[in-house]
Amino acid sequence: MKFVITVLRSNWRLVAVGVVGVVLLIALPLLLDTYTLLQITLYAIFGILALSLAFIWGYGGILCFGHSAFFGLGAYAYAVAVINMGESTAPAVIAIVLPAALAAALGYFMFYARISDVYVGVITLTVTLIFYNVINSTAGPKYHIGDALLGGFNGMPNVPSLNVPFLPDNTLEPQNMFVLSMVLLLVVYFGLHWLLATRFGRVLVAVRENEQRVEFLGYDARLHKLVAFSIGGALAGLAGCLFVSWGNYVSPTAFSVVQSAQIIIWIMVGGAGTLLGPVFGALAISWLTVEIGTQQWVNANVILGAILLIFVLLVPRGIAPMISERLVPWLLASRRAAGLARDLSQERSA
Amino acid sequence: MDLAIIVAIDFVYAIATLALISLGLAIVFGMMRIINLAHGEFMVMGSYSASVAVHHGVNIWIAILIVPPIAVGIIGAIIERLIVRQLYGRMVETMLATWGLSLFVVGILTMIFGDITEGVPTPLPGIAIGGYQTSGYSLFVIALSVATMGGVYVILRSSRLGLLARGTMQNADMAAALGTDTSRIYAVTFAFGAALAGLAGGVLAPVSGVFPTIGGSYIGRAFITVIGGGAAPLVGTATAATLFGVINQVATFLSNPVYGEVALLLAAIVLIRALPQGITGRYFRRSL
């Protein structure tokens, strides 16, 4: 019993996240109407996407500017595969494996050449730009993979949703989609926490801190970065797959630079080097983008660009570290000061 | 024979445009080791300044050659002061800030000019070579690209500012110790790079049309060229533009321009694996 309490105490944040997550998972479908639930499903999917970049950037120190390449590839891979197969089990796997393979191939060329951060950022961004241009140019009936028309800038409409594995007639309803996305978000969150606590995760963080020193200690920094990058690619692909299944539609904007920038902004706002921060960053910024979309007088890019600029210049470490390192100690300190004052007054009255 | 000339012009034109759109980026990269992610938007601002000038009755040559570099150079100087200087030495943050700037500028341009394509007239007629017709303006772009490279070479090589800039590029600490105001050199370089981007935008406006998001169609190629070229701005740009321009053009002939870009990217990734510091990191190391 005492052991359990100690474990709970030392991991109280994780326990709190788990409890809140499960409560939301059960309560939201009961409380909310379908429209709001759909919206929150999207936030959960973006939360997974945010976690995938938070892992490779915040913990792996890999500056991926083109994360939407993996997101978009997962989305398109799922859409093409599910239209051809009519059943979603294998397509979901393909949507995870293909981006992971792209990340591994790209990672091999980048990390084994030991190129600098600046180059990694620019190459990943260029990959996304070119994916966007290629997919954008595939309008017309001659561009198809099997039965799936790629549709160019019009995108691919009527993509079937995920179904219960191996039961093609049993497609997921919006409520089920919400539960699936939420559960996957929690699984990814705790999975990454676990991964970071393993030997692999610790070496990865050490590589971020000082790559040369880690190599002197005998670890292969390149391989650790490559594996982490592939995991990030796989998770982004998963988010892409869920995204298409959620909206039954995918267009080249999944690959766009603005999409990449948004993921970066989630991390910048939430705080690189945390996992919870980027999830909330994704939630806040996605909500904000929807709100901006409802009015006419200011362009969404202006707001997103301004947010990125302001955070880089003024809050470079994001909101989560600011709360946990400034606000919480400040609250604790003021409480301790108040407690101290009370002690003194008690002593005096005694 | 005539066909061979036309094909040769196409190849040289591809190389020349690649060099033209990359040079401003390469100069900022060579000096500060950062990639200005708002480079595409600097070009678009150049295109818009040319388009606005033309629509206000300014002579077309002044509108595409004089107005854009001045306008964008001034904007670049302001941005250096407000943003880039605040993040001095923090390369990743600088790149993220220029990315934010790029989104911001796209949004502002969309709000001002709307999501429509504006045209700038082509100031030169077509030229007939034998039985074939080619654009006289292509030849002008080639000449201008060569002239710009030459101009930058002369400035770097023989002016006092160029000397200070080269010194700062080689060893900023040493230059500062010898009394050079390196932050002023950085400011001037950034504004100069912006002006070159503006010039490229202005010159290419008649070819490509002008709309807020067109920067996205340039920057991929510009990034690849600069990274492939490495740290020496002039030789790096010239060699990388030649290599990638030829690859791009061959792939474009075989399929279409989009796959030309894909071939470019694949070539660049392989090149980076072989030469992580770019072409000038291995060859022509003491060049400009």
Side-chain angles (χ1 to χ4, degrees), chain A residues 65 112-113 115 119 122 130 133-134 297 299 301-302 305 308-309 312, chain B residues 29 93 97 99-100 103-104 107-108 111 227 258 261-262 265 273 276:
Chain A
F65 279 2
Y112 281 71
I115 58 178
Y119 278 28
V122 173
I130 287 176
N133 288 345
V134 168
W297 56 274
N299 186 290
N301 281 333
V302 174
L308 184 50
L309 268 174
V312 171
Chain B
F29 178 70
E93 279 87 350
W99 198 351
L103 293 175
F104 187 79
I108 294 282
M111 282 166 73
I227 283 191
V258 174
E261 219 168 58
V262 174
L265 175 72
R273 178 72 182 87

PDB file of all heavy atoms in Angstrom, chain A residues 65 112-113 115 119 122 130 133-134 297 299 301-302 305 308-309 312, chain B residues 29 93 97 99-100 103-104 107-108 111 227 258 261-262 265 273 276:
ATOM      1  N   PHE A  65      11.154  20.678 -40.003  1.00  0.00           N
ATOM      2  CA  PHE A  65      10.286  21.777 -40.424  1.00  0.00           C
ATOM      3  C   PHE A  65       9.176  21.283 -41.347  1.00  0.00           C
ATOM      4  O   PHE A  65       8.286  22.037 -41.677  1.00  0.00           O
ATOM      5  CB  PHE A  65      11.100  22.848 -41.165  1.00  0.00           C
ATOM      6  CG  PHE A  65      11.834  23.780 -40.255  1.00  0.00           C
ATOM      7  CD1 PHE A  65      11.795  23.622 -38.891  1.00  0.00           C
ATOM      8  CD2 PHE A  65      12.560  24.834 -40.771  1.00  0.00           C
ATOM      9  CE1 PHE A  65      12.470  24.480 -38.047  1.00  0.00           C
ATOM     10  CE2 PHE A  65      13.242  25.709 -39.940  1.00  0.00           C
ATOM     11  CZ  PHE A  65      13.198  25.529 -38.576  1.00  0.00           C
ATOM     12  N   TYR A 112      23.142  10.337 -41.223  1.00  0.00           N
ATOM     13  CA  TYR A 112      24.414   9.665 -41.492  1.00  0.00           C
ATOM     14  C   TYR A 112      25.370  10.568 -42.250  1.00  0.00           C
ATOM     15  O   TYR A 112      26.557  10.286 -42.324  1.00  0.00           O
ATOM     16  CB  TYR A 112      24.173   8.333 -42.215  1.00  0.00           C
ATOM     17  CG  TYR A 112      23.749   7.259 -41.239  1.00  0.00           C
ATOM     18  CD1 TYR A 112      22.486   7.300 -40.652  1.00  0.00           C
ATOM     19  CD2 TYR A 112      24.618   6.248 -40.839  1.00  0.00           C
ATOM     20  CE1 TYR A 112      22.100   6.363 -39.720  1.00  0.00           C
ATOM     21  CE2 TYR A 112      24.232   5.299 -39.907  1.00  0.00           C
ATOM     22  CZ  TYR A 112      22.976   5.363 -39.352  1.00  0.00           C
ATOM     23  OH  TYR A 112      22.597   4.432 -38.415  1.00  0.00           O
ATOM     24  N   ALA A 113      24.828  11.652 -42.841  1.00  0.00           N
ATOM     25  CA  ALA A 113      25.741  12.650 -43.409  1.00  0.00           C
ATOM     26  C   ALA A 113      26.167  13.642 -42.334  1.00  0.00           C
ATOM     27  O   ALA A 113      27.005  14.501 -42.591  1.00  0.00           O
ATOM     28  CB  ALA A 113      25.075  13.391 -44.561  1.00  0.00           C
ATOM     29  N   ILE A 115      24.615  16.229 -41.084  1.00  0.00           N
ATOM     30  CA  ILE A 115      24.439  17.619 -41.476  1.00  0.00           C
ATOM     31  C   ILE A 115      23.874  18.406 -40.302  1.00  0.00           C
ATOM     32  O   ILE A 115      23.356  17.840 -39.348  1.00  0.00           O
ATOM     33  CB  ILE A 115      23.510  17.745 -42.708  1.00  0.00           C
ATOM     34  CG1 ILE A 115      22.145  17.130 -42.412  1.00  0.00           C
ATOM     35  CG2 ILE A 115      24.155  17.098 -43.905  1.00  0.00           C
ATOM     36  CD1 ILE A 115      21.201  17.268 -43.572  1.00  0.00           C
ATOM     37  N   TYR A 119      20.359  22.587 -41.917  1.00  0.00           N
ATOM     38  CA  TYR A 119      20.135  21.793 -43.122  1.00  0.00           C
ATOM     39  C   TYR A 119      18.968  20.829 -42.939  1.00  0.00           C
ATOM     40  O   TYR A 119      18.160  20.634 -43.843  1.00  0.00           O
ATOM     41  CB  TYR A 119      21.399  21.001 -43.474  1.00  0.00           C
ATOM     42  CG  TYR A 119      22.449  21.785 -44.220  1.00  0.00           C
ATOM     43  CD1 TYR A 119      22.554  23.161 -44.066  1.00  0.00           C
ATOM     44  CD2 TYR A 119      23.328  21.162 -45.084  1.00  0.00           C
ATOM     45  CE1 TYR A 119      23.512  23.876 -44.743  1.00  0.00           C
ATOM     46  CE2 TYR A 119      24.296  21.874 -45.778  1.00  0.00           C
ATOM     47  CZ  TYR A 119      24.385  23.236 -45.596  1.00  0.00           C
ATOM     48  OH  TYR A 119      25.332  23.931 -46.276  1.00  0.00           O
ATOM     49  N   VAL A 122      15.757  22.704 -43.328  1.00  0.00           N
ATOM     50  CA  VAL A 122      15.455  23.141 -44.690  1.00  0.00           C
ATOM     51  C   VAL A 122      15.135  21.946 -45.593  1.00  0.00           C
ATOM     52  O   VAL A 122      14.223  22.011 -46.417  1.00  0.00           O
ATOM     53  CB  VAL A 122      16.634  23.963 -45.244  1.00  0.00           C
ATOM     54  CG1 VAL A 122      16.413  24.276 -46.701  1.00  0.00           C
ATOM     55  CG2 VAL A 122      16.779  25.232 -44.449  1.00  0.00           C
ATOM     56  N   ILE A 130       7.707  19.891 -51.947  1.00  0.00           N
ATOM     57  CA  ILE A 130       7.661  19.169 -53.214  1.00  0.00           C
ATOM     58  C   ILE A 130       6.527  18.145 -53.222  1.00  0.00           C
ATOM     59  O   ILE A 130       5.847  17.971 -54.232  1.00  0.00           O
ATOM     60  CB  ILE A 130       9.053  18.598 -53.522  1.00  0.00           C
ATOM     61  CG1 ILE A 130       9.919  19.782 -53.931  1.00  0.00           C
ATOM     62  CG2 ILE A 130       9.003  17.529 -54.574  1.00  0.00           C
ATOM     63  CD1 ILE A 130      11.331  19.493 -54.186  1.00  0.00           C
ATOM     64  N   ASN A 133       3.585  20.182 -54.181  1.00  0.00           N
ATOM     65  CA  ASN A 133       3.523  20.496 -55.612  1.00  0.00           C
ATOM     66  C   ASN A 133       3.161  19.270 -56.444  1.00  0.00           C
ATOM     67  O   ASN A 133       2.393  19.362 -57.399  1.00  0.00           O
ATOM     68  CB  ASN A 133       4.866  21.060 -56.084  1.00  0.00           C
ATOM     69  CG  ASN A 133       5.091  22.474 -55.563  1.00  0.00           C
ATOM     70  OD1 ASN A 133       4.154  23.118 -55.104  1.00  0.00           O
ATOM     71  ND2 ASN A 133       6.326  22.932 -55.619  1.00  0.00           N
ATOM     72  N   VAL A 134       3.713  18.110 -56.071  1.00  0.00           N
ATOM     73  CA  VAL A 134       3.439  16.900 -56.843  1.00  0.00           C
ATOM     74  C   VAL A 134       1.962  16.534 -56.733  1.00  0.00           C
ATOM     75  O   VAL A 134       1.276  16.334 -57.747  1.00  0.00           O
ATOM     76  CB  VAL A 134       4.320  15.727 -56.352  1.00  0.00           C
ATOM     77  CG1 VAL A 134       3.846  14.415 -56.946  1.00  0.00           C
ATOM     78  CG2 VAL A 134       5.765  15.971 -56.723  1.00  0.00           C
ATOM     79  N   TRP A 297     -12.284  39.831 -41.669  1.00  0.00           N
ATOM     80  CA  TRP A 297     -11.423  41.003 -41.835  1.00  0.00           C
ATOM     81  C   TRP A 297      -9.957  40.743 -41.608  1.00  0.00           C
ATOM     82  O   TRP A 297      -9.120  41.520 -42.007  1.00  0.00           O
ATOM     83  CB  TRP A 297     -11.908  42.170 -40.976  1.00  0.00           C
ATOM     84  CG  TRP A 297     -12.021  41.861 -39.523  1.00  0.00           C
ATOM     85  CD1 TRP A 297     -13.081  41.308 -38.887  1.00  0.00           C
ATOM     86  CD2 TRP A 297     -11.020  42.078 -38.517  1.00  0.00           C
ATOM     87  NE1 TRP A 297     -12.804  41.156 -37.563  1.00  0.00           N
ATOM     88  CE2 TRP A 297     -11.566  41.629 -37.302  1.00  0.00           C
ATOM     89  CE3 TRP A 297      -9.724  42.614 -38.532  1.00  0.00           C
ATOM     90  CZ2 TRP A 297     -10.850  41.681 -36.114  1.00  0.00           C
ATOM     91  CZ3 TRP A 297      -9.026  42.671 -37.342  1.00  0.00           C
ATOM     92  CH2 TRP A 297      -9.592  42.213 -36.154  1.00  0.00           C
ATOM     93  N   ASN A 299      -6.794  37.832 -42.061  1.00  0.00           N
ATOM     94  CA  ASN A 299      -6.397  36.556 -42.646  1.00  0.00           C
ATOM     95  C   ASN A 299      -5.753  35.658 -41.585  1.00  0.00           C
ATOM     96  O   ASN A 299      -5.002  36.122 -40.737  1.00  0.00           O
ATOM     97  CB  ASN A 299      -5.413  36.873 -43.772  1.00  0.00           C
ATOM     98  CG  ASN A 299      -5.040  35.654 -44.557  1.00  0.00           C
ATOM     99  OD1 ASN A 299      -4.338  34.790 -44.043  1.00  0.00           O
ATOM    100  ND2 ASN A 299      -5.507  35.574 -45.779  1.00  0.00           N
ATOM    101  N   ASN A 301      -3.409  33.518 -41.779  1.00  0.00           N
ATOM    102  CA  ASN A 301      -1.950  33.473 -41.826  1.00  0.00           C
ATOM    103  C   ASN A 301      -1.320  34.613 -41.040  1.00  0.00           C
ATOM    104  O   ASN A 301      -0.237  34.452 -40.462  1.00  0.00           O
ATOM    105  CB  ASN A 301      -1.469  33.546 -43.283  1.00  0.00           C
ATOM    106  CG  ASN A 301      -1.611  32.210 -43.968  1.00  0.00           C
ATOM    107  OD1 ASN A 301      -1.583  31.176 -43.315  1.00  0.00           O
ATOM    108  ND2 ASN A 301      -1.785  32.234 -45.277  1.00  0.00           N
ATOM    109  N   VAL A 302      -1.975  35.770 -41.045  1.00  0.00           N
ATOM    110  CA  VAL A 302      -1.432  36.910 -40.301  1.00  0.00           C
ATOM    111  C   VAL A 302      -1.357  36.558 -38.819  1.00  0.00           C
ATOM    112  O   VAL A 302      -0.333  36.779 -38.158  1.00  0.00           O
ATOM    113  CB  VAL A 302      -2.319  38.159 -40.516  1.00  0.00           C
ATOM    114  CG1 VAL A 302      -1.855  39.304 -39.631  1.00  0.00           C
ATOM    115  CG2 VAL A 302      -2.282  38.578 -41.965  1.00  0.00           C
ATOM    116  N   GLY A 305       1.264  33.685 -38.219  1.00  0.00           N
ATOM    117  CA  GLY A 305       2.614  34.231 -38.346  1.00  0.00           C
ATOM    118  C   GLY A 305       2.965  35.088 -37.152  1.00  0.00           C
ATOM    119  O   GLY A 305       4.066  34.988 -36.593  1.00  0.00           O
ATOM    120  N   LEU A 308       3.675  32.946 -34.097  1.00  0.00           N
ATOM    121  CA  LEU A 308       5.004  32.315 -34.170  1.00  0.00           C
ATOM    122  C   LEU A 308       6.097  33.334 -33.856  1.00  0.00           C
ATOM    123  O   LEU A 308       6.999  33.083 -33.050  1.00  0.00           O
ATOM    124  CB  LEU A 308       5.206  31.702 -35.558  1.00  0.00           C
ATOM    125  CG  LEU A 308       6.489  30.910 -35.793  1.00  0.00           C
ATOM    126  CD1 LEU A 308       6.719  29.900 -34.699  1.00  0.00           C
ATOM    127  CD2 LEU A 308       6.451  30.210 -37.137  1.00  0.00           C
ATOM    128  N   LEU A 309       5.973  34.521 -34.468  1.00  0.00           N
ATOM    129  CA  LEU A 309       6.968  35.575 -34.224  1.00  0.00           C
ATOM    130  C   LEU A 309       7.018  35.954 -32.753  1.00  0.00           C
ATOM    131  O   LEU A 309       8.093  36.035 -32.151  1.00  0.00           O
ATOM    132  CB  LEU A 309       6.598  36.815 -35.038  1.00  0.00           C
ATOM    133  CG  LEU A 309       7.202  36.928 -36.416  1.00  0.00           C
ATOM    134  CD1 LEU A 309       6.627  38.124 -37.144  1.00  0.00           C
ATOM    135  CD2 LEU A 309       8.704  37.079 -36.304  1.00  0.00           C
ATOM    136  N   VAL A 312       8.577  33.149 -30.623  1.00  0.00           N
ATOM    137  CA  VAL A 312      10.023  33.017 -30.810  1.00  0.00           C
ATOM    138  C   VAL A 312      10.749  34.169 -30.124  1.00  0.00           C
ATOM    139  O   VAL A 312      11.769  33.984 -29.462  1.00  0.00           O
ATOM    140  CB  VAL A 312      10.367  32.981 -32.313  1.00  0.00           C
ATOM    141  CG1 VAL A 312      11.872  33.075 -32.510  1.00  0.00           C
ATOM    142  CG2 VAL A 312       9.860  31.706 -32.944  1.00  0.00           C
TER     143      VAL A 312
ATOM    144  N   PHE B  29      22.912  33.375 -46.216  1.00  0.00           N
ATOM    145  CA  PHE B  29      23.373  32.107 -45.641  1.00  0.00           C
ATOM    146  C   PHE B  29      24.888  32.097 -45.469  1.00  0.00           C
ATOM    147  O   PHE B  29      25.405  31.713 -44.413  1.00  0.00           O
ATOM    148  CB  PHE B  29      22.945  30.932 -46.541  1.00  0.00           C
ATOM    149  CG  PHE B  29      23.416  29.601 -46.043  1.00  0.00           C
ATOM    150  CD1 PHE B  29      22.878  29.050 -44.893  1.00  0.00           C
ATOM    151  CD2 PHE B  29      24.400  28.904 -46.716  1.00  0.00           C
ATOM    152  CE1 PHE B  29      23.318  27.833 -44.423  1.00  0.00           C
ATOM    153  CE2 PHE B  29      24.841  27.675 -46.247  1.00  0.00           C
ATOM    154  CZ  PHE B  29      24.298  27.147 -45.097  1.00  0.00           C
ATOM    155  N   GLU B  93      16.069  29.695 -33.834  1.00  0.00           N
ATOM    156  CA  GLU B  93      15.036  30.686 -33.546  1.00  0.00           C
ATOM    157  C   GLU B  93      14.912  31.700 -34.677  1.00  0.00           C
ATOM    158  O   GLU B  93      13.803  32.120 -35.022  1.00  0.00           O
ATOM    159  CB  GLU B  93      15.344  31.423 -32.233  1.00  0.00           C
ATOM    160  CG  GLU B  93      14.936  30.675 -30.986  1.00  0.00           C
ATOM    161  CD  GLU B  93      16.020  29.723 -30.524  1.00  0.00           C
ATOM    162  OE1 GLU B  93      16.999  29.513 -31.272  1.00  0.00           O
ATOM    163  OE2 GLU B  93      15.888  29.185 -29.416  1.00  0.00           O
ATOM    164  N   ALA B  97      11.576  32.478 -36.684  1.00  0.00           N
ATOM    165  CA  ALA B  97      11.024  33.832 -36.754  1.00  0.00           C
ATOM    166  C   ALA B  97      10.787  34.243 -38.199  1.00  0.00           C
ATOM    167  O   ALA B  97       9.742  34.819 -38.522  1.00  0.00           O
ATOM    168  CB  ALA B  97      11.964  34.817 -36.063  1.00  0.00           C
ATOM    169  N   TRP B  99      10.140  32.277 -40.541  1.00  0.00           N
ATOM    170  CA  TRP B  99       8.987  31.499 -41.005  1.00  0.00           C
ATOM    171  C   TRP B  99       7.681  32.187 -40.588  1.00  0.00           C
ATOM    172  O   TRP B  99       6.748  32.323 -41.391  1.00  0.00           O
ATOM    173  CB  TRP B  99       9.063  30.084 -40.441  1.00  0.00           C
ATOM    174  CG  TRP B  99       8.200  29.113 -41.162  1.00  0.00           C
ATOM    175  CD1 TRP B  99       7.271  29.391 -42.116  1.00  0.00           C
ATOM    176  CD2 TRP B  99       8.204  27.697 -40.995  1.00  0.00           C
ATOM    177  NE1 TRP B  99       6.688  28.223 -42.550  1.00  0.00           N
ATOM    178  CE2 TRP B  99       7.235  27.183 -41.881  1.00  0.00           C
ATOM    179  CE3 TRP B  99       8.914  26.816 -40.182  1.00  0.00           C
ATOM    180  CZ2 TRP B  99       6.969  25.824 -41.965  1.00  0.00           C
ATOM    181  CZ3 TRP B  99       8.645  25.478 -40.276  1.00  0.00           C
ATOM    182  CH2 TRP B  99       7.687  24.983 -41.160  1.00  0.00           C
ATOM    183  N   GLY B 100       7.658  32.622 -39.320  1.00  0.00           N
ATOM    184  CA  GLY B 100       6.488  33.373 -38.861  1.00  0.00           C
ATOM    185  C   GLY B 100       6.281  34.599 -39.725  1.00  0.00           C
ATOM    186  O   GLY B 100       5.156  34.907 -40.145  1.00  0.00           O
ATOM    187  N   LEU B 103       4.639  33.663 -43.077  1.00  0.00           N
ATOM    188  CA  LEU B 103       3.179  33.493 -42.990  1.00  0.00           C
ATOM    189  C   LEU B 103       2.496  34.852 -42.866  1.00  0.00           C
ATOM    190  O   LEU B 103       1.481  35.123 -43.508  1.00  0.00           O
ATOM    191  CB  LEU B 103       2.821  32.651 -41.763  1.00  0.00           C
ATOM    192  CG  LEU B 103       3.243  31.194 -41.755  1.00  0.00           C
ATOM    193  CD1 LEU B 103       2.914  30.580 -40.409  1.00  0.00           C
ATOM    194  CD2 LEU B 103       2.529  30.445 -42.857  1.00  0.00           C
ATOM    195  N   PHE B 104       3.087  35.704 -42.027  1.00  0.00           N
ATOM    196  CA  PHE B 104       2.511  37.023 -41.772  1.00  0.00           C
ATOM    197  C   PHE B 104       2.407  37.813 -43.078  1.00  0.00           C
ATOM    198  O   PHE B 104       1.363  38.389 -43.390  1.00  0.00           O
ATOM    199  CB  PHE B 104       3.413  37.748 -40.759  1.00  0.00           C
ATOM    200  CG  PHE B 104       2.869  39.043 -40.267  1.00  0.00           C
ATOM    201  CD1 PHE B 104       1.889  39.060 -39.288  1.00  0.00           C
ATOM    202  CD2 PHE B 104       3.345  40.237 -40.762  1.00  0.00           C
ATOM    203  CE1 PHE B 104       1.390  40.266 -38.818  1.00  0.00           C
ATOM    204  CE2 PHE B 104       2.842  41.436 -40.305  1.00  0.00           C
ATOM    205  CZ  PHE B 104       1.867  41.453 -39.336  1.00  0.00           C
ATOM    206  N   GLY B 107      -0.241  36.526 -45.406  1.00  0.00           N
ATOM    207  CA  GLY B 107      -1.557  36.964 -44.940  1.00  0.00           C
ATOM    208  C   GLY B 107      -1.824  38.413 -45.270  1.00  0.00           C
ATOM    209  O   GLY B 107      -2.892  38.768 -45.783  1.00  0.00           O
ATOM    210  N   ILE B 108      -0.840  39.276 -45.009  1.00  0.00           N
ATOM    211  CA  ILE B 108      -1.015  40.703 -45.273  1.00  0.00           C
ATOM    212  C   ILE B 108      -1.220  40.950 -46.772  1.00  0.00           C
ATOM    213  O   ILE B 108      -2.125  41.694 -47.178  1.00  0.00           O
ATOM    214  CB  ILE B 108       0.229  41.499 -44.787  1.00  0.00           C
ATOM    215  CG1 ILE B 108       0.337  41.432 -43.254  1.00  0.00           C
ATOM    216  CG2 ILE B 108       0.185  42.935 -45.269  1.00  0.00           C
ATOM    217  CD1 ILE B 108      -0.603  42.350 -42.531  1.00  0.00           C
ATOM    218  N   MET B 111      -4.615  40.049 -47.746  1.00  0.00           N
ATOM    219  CA  MET B 111      -5.611  41.034 -47.306  1.00  0.00           C
ATOM    220  C   MET B 111      -5.592  42.281 -48.179  1.00  0.00           C
ATOM    221  O   MET B 111      -6.621  42.871 -48.466  1.00  0.00           O
ATOM    222  CB  MET B 111      -5.342  41.416 -45.847  1.00  0.00           C
ATOM    223  CG  MET B 111      -5.836  40.367 -44.857  1.00  0.00           C
ATOM    224  SD  MET B 111      -5.174  40.617 -43.216  1.00  0.00           S
ATOM    225  CE  MET B 111      -6.090  42.049 -42.694  1.00  0.00           C
ATOM    226  N   ILE B 227      21.685  25.113 -50.258  1.00  0.00           N
ATOM    227  CA  ILE B 227      22.246  24.035 -49.451  1.00  0.00           C
ATOM    228  C   ILE B 227      23.238  23.211 -50.260  1.00  0.00           C
ATOM    229  O   ILE B 227      24.308  22.839 -49.778  1.00  0.00           O
ATOM    230  CB  ILE B 227      21.102  23.157 -48.914  1.00  0.00           C
ATOM    231  CG1 ILE B 227      20.446  23.883 -47.764  1.00  0.00           C
ATOM    232  CG2 ILE B 227      21.607  21.814 -48.479  1.00  0.00           C
ATOM    233  CD1 ILE B 227      19.518  23.026 -47.002  1.00  0.00           C
ATOM    234  N   VAL B 258       6.901  19.502 -62.573  1.00  0.00           N
ATOM    235  CA  VAL B 258       6.756  19.055 -61.195  1.00  0.00           C
ATOM    236  C   VAL B 258       7.742  17.933 -60.904  1.00  0.00           C
ATOM    237  O   VAL B 258       8.426  17.937 -59.879  1.00  0.00           O
ATOM    238  CB  VAL B 258       5.307  18.593 -60.937  1.00  0.00           C
ATOM    239  CG1 VAL B 258       5.204  17.993 -59.550  1.00  0.00           C
ATOM    240  CG2 VAL B 258       4.359  19.755 -61.073  1.00  0.00           C
ATOM    241  N   GLU B 261      11.182  19.087 -60.418  1.00  0.00           N
ATOM    242  CA  GLU B 261      11.465  19.516 -59.051  1.00  0.00           C
ATOM    243  C   GLU B 261      11.764  18.316 -58.145  1.00  0.00           C
ATOM    244  O   GLU B 261      12.629  18.382 -57.283  1.00  0.00           O
ATOM    245  CB  GLU B 261      10.262  20.292 -58.510  1.00  0.00           C
ATOM    246  CG  GLU B 261      10.663  21.469 -57.665  1.00  0.00           C
ATOM    247  CD  GLU B 261       9.484  22.371 -57.380  1.00  0.00           C
ATOM    248  OE1 GLU B 261       8.490  21.898 -56.813  1.00  0.00           O
ATOM    249  OE2 GLU B 261       9.564  23.554 -57.731  1.00  0.00           O
ATOM    250  N   VAL B 262      11.029  17.211 -58.370  1.00  0.00           N
ATOM    251  CA  VAL B 262      11.281  16.006 -57.573  1.00  0.00           C
ATOM    252  C   VAL B 262      12.699  15.499 -57.829  1.00  0.00           C
ATOM    253  O   VAL B 262      13.436  15.165 -56.891  1.00  0.00           O
ATOM    254  CB  VAL B 262      10.258  14.902 -57.918  1.00  0.00           C
ATOM    255  CG1 VAL B 262      10.606  13.616 -57.193  1.00  0.00           C
ATOM    256  CG2 VAL B 262       8.851  15.346 -57.568  1.00  0.00           C
ATOM    257  N   LEU B 265      15.134  17.550 -55.970  1.00  0.00           N
ATOM    258  CA  LEU B 265      15.186  17.240 -54.534  1.00  0.00           C
ATOM    259  C   LEU B 265      15.986  15.967 -54.288  1.00  0.00           C
ATOM    260  O   LEU B 265      16.854  15.932 -53.407  1.00  0.00           O
ATOM    261  CB  LEU B 265      13.771  17.073 -53.988  1.00  0.00           C
ATOM    262  CG  LEU B 265      13.715  16.636 -52.527  1.00  0.00           C
ATOM    263  CD1 LEU B 265      14.136  17.770 -51.616  1.00  0.00           C
ATOM    264  CD2 LEU B 265      12.337  16.152 -52.145  1.00  0.00           C
ATOM    265  N   ARG B 273      24.318  13.871 -48.881  1.00  0.00           N
ATOM    266  CA  ARG B 273      24.886  12.689 -48.235  1.00  0.00           C
ATOM    267  C   ARG B 273      26.366  12.574 -48.564  1.00  0.00           C
ATOM    268  O   ARG B 273      27.188  12.220 -47.719  1.00  0.00           O
ATOM    269  CB  ARG B 273      24.140  11.427 -48.710  1.00  0.00           C
ATOM    270  CG  ARG B 273      24.670  10.124 -48.138  1.00  0.00           C
ATOM    271  CD  ARG B 273      24.317   9.986 -46.673  1.00  0.00           C
ATOM    272  NE  ARG B 273      24.864   8.760 -46.113  1.00  0.00           N
ATOM    273  CZ  ARG B 273      26.088   8.643 -45.613  1.00  0.00           C
ATOM    274  NH1 ARG B 273      26.895   9.677 -45.626  1.00  0.00           N
ATOM    275  NH2 ARG B 273      26.489   7.506 -45.097  1.00  0.00           N
ATOM    276  N   PRO B 276      28.343  16.822 -47.220  1.00  0.00           N
ATOM    277  CA  PRO B 276      27.461  17.455 -46.228  1.00  0.00           C
ATOM    278  C   PRO B 276      27.617  18.971 -46.129  1.00  0.00           C
ATOM    279  O   PRO B 276      26.705  19.649 -45.689  1.00  0.00           O
ATOM    280  CB  PRO B 276      27.887  16.795 -44.910  1.00  0.00           C
ATOM    281  CG  PRO B 276      28.551  15.537 -45.309  1.00  0.00           C
ATOM    282  CD  PRO B 276      29.189  15.797 -46.625  1.00  0.00           C
TER     283      PRO B 276
END
